[in-house]
Amino acid sequence: PLVRYRTGDYAELVFHGGEPRLVGLAGRAPTRFRTESGELLNNIEVTHALAGFALPQWTLLQRRDGSFDFRTSAGNATVLRAALLSLFGANARIDVATDAVFDGKVRQYVSELE
């Protein structure tokens, strides 16, 4: 079995005609976030919304009360907040910090919602 480094994904590495292939990939479960309107979005939607910013590392937490905490070590907080508001709703409560310091690999997506 193969474990992708610190991602939570598992697969078997097999060789077919000398080429390596992953078989039976079991990816980690998505983290779901609730928008202002109550719609549930998978974490990949956040990844897509932030793809153009080339952020080296960041985290997103949705608190139990529905508000968000976004942390990164780079970028323009106003522009990043606007991108997240366009995803989660114009009146979503989103705190953005661009001076975060991370120690190694972080858990990128966390939701405290039930």
Side-chain angles (χ1 to χ4, degrees):
L2 173 73
V3 179
R4 282 186 27 193
Y5 178 67
R6 298 177 76 175
T7 64
D9 296 344
Y10 297 87
E12 180 182 359
L13 180 64
V14 298
F15 288 87
H16 182 73
E19 294 289 322
R21 300 224 173 125
L22 296 178
V23 176
L25 178 64
R28 60 197 168 264
T31 301
R32 296 177 66 170
F33 298 104
R34 188 176 61 227
T35 68
E36 179 183 35
S37 67
E39 178 184 3
L40 292 176
L41 299 178
N42 286 341
N43 56 284
I44 193 66
E45 301 302 325
V46 178
T47 299
H48 290 186
L50 298 174
F53 295 104
L55 301 172
Q57 197 171 29
W58 50 271
T59 63
L60 179 65
L61 162 69
Q62 186 167 31
R63 300 180 192 100
R64 290 187 198 282
D65 66 3
S67 65
F68 294 90
D69 183 39
F70 181 80
R71 304 271 177 230
T72 186
S73 58
N76 179 303
T78 303
V79 174
L80 291 166
R81 187 171 186 278
L84 293 168
L85 287 171
S86 70
L87 186 64
F88 293 114
N91 296 313
R93 292 170 294 151
I94 304 174
D95 297 323
V96 175
T98 58
D99 59 354
V101 176
F102 300 104
D103 185 23
K105 181 111 171 121
V106 297
R107 188 165 168 209
Q108 193 168 27
Y109 303 105
V110 177
S111 177
E112 294 178 344
L113 300 178
E114 298 282 326

